[in-house]
Amino acid sequence: MVANREQIARAAIRRLNADPVASMTQIAESAGVSRATLHRHFASREELMGELGRLSVASWRQVLDDAGVDEAVAEGSAAAITAALDALCHHWIRDVEEFGFALTETGAYGHDELLIAVEEQHAREHAFYAAAQHAGVVRGDMSAVWIAHAAFGLLVGLREALRRGDIAVRDGERLLRESFLRGCAA
Amino acid sequence: MVANREQIARAAIRRLNADPVASMTQIAESAGVSRATLHRHFASREELMGELGRLSVASWRQVLDDAGVDEAVAEGSAAAITAALDALCHHWIRDVEEFGFALTETGAYGHDELLIAVEEQHAREHAFYAAAQHAGVVRGDMSAVWIAHAAFGLLVGLREALRRGDIAVRDGERLLRESFLRGCAA
C-alpha cells in the first residue's frame, strides 16, 4: 500500500496521541513509510503539525455540525439546547480519541487561515453557551466564554486520563458530561 | 544585571505563557540576555524545557504542600478535606499564572527523575480525592483518579482563558472552584 499525505497524517496523530514526543523517525515507522517518504510529504515537523492542526480544526467543526449547535441556537428552546449539549458530549469523545494530541499542540495553529477557522468555531461555541444561558440550561453566573474554556479543559483532562489508561473508554462520555454539567462535589 | 540560570528560566516561562511558540531568540530577548548567553545556560530548547519541567513539578509539589492535602488525608474529616480543597483552588491559580505553559508541555517531563516526581504528586492527589470521597465531600460515582484529571483539565482551560484575555484574573479562582465542584448546568 502506498500511503498518501492524509493517511500519513492520520497515522502520525494516532502515534502522537499515544506518545506526544514521538520523533519524525518513529512517526514514519508508525505510518509504515520510510523517513524519506515522510519527508517528501512533510518537509519538517512544523509542516506536519500544520496539517494535523488543519485536520483537527475540521474535526472540531464537524463535532459542532453533528451536535447541531447552530440549529439549537436558532430554535432557542431549553429542549433543543439540552439535546445539542448532550450530543456535544457524545461527539467530543470521538474528537478526543482521534485528535487528542492536537488539543494543546500550539504549533499546529500558526497559520493565519487556520486561526480564522479556530475563531469561527470559538464564536459558534460562545453563541451556543449564551443561548444555553438564555434558555436556563447553563448557569448565568459564569460567562459563556468561560464555559467554553471549561469544556475544552475537561477534554484535555479526558485525553490525559485515556492516554494514561486511567479510565475506561466506555466511561469517558459519562465522566465528561457529569463533570462538565454537575461538577465533582458530593 | 547578570541573569543566572533560574532567572532566565523564569523569564522564559513568562514569555512562553504569553506566546507558547516563542523562539529561543525571542526567549533570550525577554530574559534580557543575548542568544549566546541563553545558549551557555541551555544548549538546546529541550534542555530549557527540562528545566521548566523541573521548576513546574516543584511548584505543583508546593501547591499540594501549601494546601495541606497530606494533613487533610491524615485527619480525614469532611471539614479538613473541605478546607484543603478550598486552599487547593486558591493555590492552583498562582501555579497556572506562573507555570501555565508547562501544564501541557510534554517535552518538559522526559527525564526519569522528573517522571518519578510527577508520579509522586499524582499519588498524593489520588489519595486526597479518595479521602474526599470517603468523607462525603466529593462524589463517589467517579474515580478519584478521574477527579484529579478533571481538575487538571480545568487548570488548562483556565490557562487558555487567561492567555486569551477572556476572563479577569481576579475571577479565576471562583470560576475554577465553581466549575470543578458544581459544574456548568443551571
Side-chain angles (χ1 to χ4, degrees), chain A residues 1-16 27 30-33 37-38 40-42 47-59 62 98-99:
Chain A
M1 185 196 84
V2 180
N4 66 25
R5 185 176 166 94
E6 179 157 344
Q7 286 168 331
I8 292 174
R10 290 190 175 275
I13 292 178
R14 284 193 296 276
R15 176 65 189 245
L16 289 163
I27 289 169
S30 296
V33 298
T37 300
L38 175 61
R40 205 164 52 241
H41 286 287
F42 302 102
E47 195 180 320
L48 174 60
M49 291 303 145
E51 178 70 9
L52 302 194
R54 198 186 62 73
L55 290 170
S56 164
V57 173
S59 171
Q62 193 65 48
E98 285 182 20
F99 292 96

Side-chain angles (χ1 to χ4, degrees), chain A residues 89-165:
Chain A
C89 290
H90 177 71
H91 292 295
W92 271 333
I93 301 292
R94 184 195 65 202
D95 195 47
V96 166
E97 283 190 84
E98 285 182 20
F99 292 96
F101 166 75
L103 280 173
T104 54
E105 180 53 37
T106 45
Y109 306 103
H111 297 286
D112 282 353
E113 84 272 24
L114 213 51
L115 286 176
I116 292 168
V118 165
E119 292 309 318
E120 279 174 5
Q121 310 323 310
H122 273 306
R124 293 174 72 191
E125 289 195 350
H126 298 165
F128 176 67
Y129 292 119
Q133 290 179 314
H134 191 73
V137 173
V138 156
R139 298 169 63 149
D141 61 349
M142 311 198 258
S143 66
V145 175
W146 163 252
I147 289 168
H149 283 299
F152 163 79
L154 287 169
L155 294 181
V156 176
L158 189 69
R159 174 192 75 185
E160 291 304 302
L162 289 170
R163 191 174 61 75
R164 290 174 56 97

Side-chain angles (χ1 to χ4, degrees), chain B residues 117-182:
Chain B
V118 166
E119 292 310 318
E120 279 173 5
Q121 311 321 310
H122 273 306
R124 293 174 72 190
E125 290 195 350
H126 299 165
F128 176 67
Y129 292 120
Q133 291 179 314
H134 192 72
V137 173
V138 155
R139 297 169 62 150
D141 61 349
M142 311 198 259
S143 66
V145 175
W146 164 252
I147 290 168
H149 283 298
F152 163 79
L154 288 169
L155 294 182
V156 176
L158 189 69
R159 175 192 74 184
E160 290 304 302
L162 289 170
R163 191 174 60 76
R164 291 174 55 96
D166 283 341
I167 63 167
V169 173
R170 293 175 67 101
D171 247 6
E173 186 173 332
R174 177 184 73 90
L175 294 172
L176 174 64
R177 181 181 283 117
E178 288 293 314
S179 304
F180 179 42
L181 296 177
R182 265 166 282 286

